[in-house]
Amino acid sequence: MDPEEVKRLILAGLPDCEVMVKGDGSHFDAIVVGEIFADKSLVKQQQLVYATVNEKIASGALHALSIKTYTPADWAKASKFQVSS
């Protein structure tokens, strides 16, 4: 898998989000920004993203995915202060 394929999977399941993915082979880091995360626990936010890639994880094509989720307002603050992704 490549980062673009992981991004497409996440966007297919969460089409109203902004998605950035980096990585190689089977290990990836994703930043997902969307209003869908507002008022949801961190666990629920992660579950929403994992649901988009579960099939690839189950098949072994995707071994590890590190996820950071933000609302647009939180992302604006984090990127303003250049929080490390």
Side-chain angles (χ1 to χ4, degrees):
M1 293 191 75
D2 63 46
E4 283 301 311
E5 186 176 357
V6 176
K7 179 179 178 177
R8 282 191 297 274
L9 289 169
I10 296 170
L11 282 172
L14 301 170
D16 295 328
C17 290
E18 180 180 350
V19 179
M20 295 151 273
V21 178
K22 60 183 176 178
D24 55 19
S26 59
H27 295 79
F28 298 92
D29 296 304
I31 295 173
V32 186
V33 181
E35 282 297 334
I36 192 169
F37 302 124
D39 301 322
K40 290 186 174 56
S41 70
L42 184 57
V43 170
K44 183 62 177 171
Q45 293 174 27
Q46 301 251 329
Q47 288 172 337
L48 287 168
V49 179
Y50 274 121
T52 67
V53 295
N54 260 348
E55 186 177 304
K56 296 295 183 180
I57 291 172
S59 74
L62 178 59
H63 179 70
L65 179 64
S66 172
I67 300 168
K68 292 189 179 181
T69 55
Y70 299 90
T71 64
D74 289 339
W75 177 244
K77 290 176 195 171
S79 59
K80 178 180 177 183
F81 294 109
Q82 300 180 0
V83 170
S84 174
S85 61

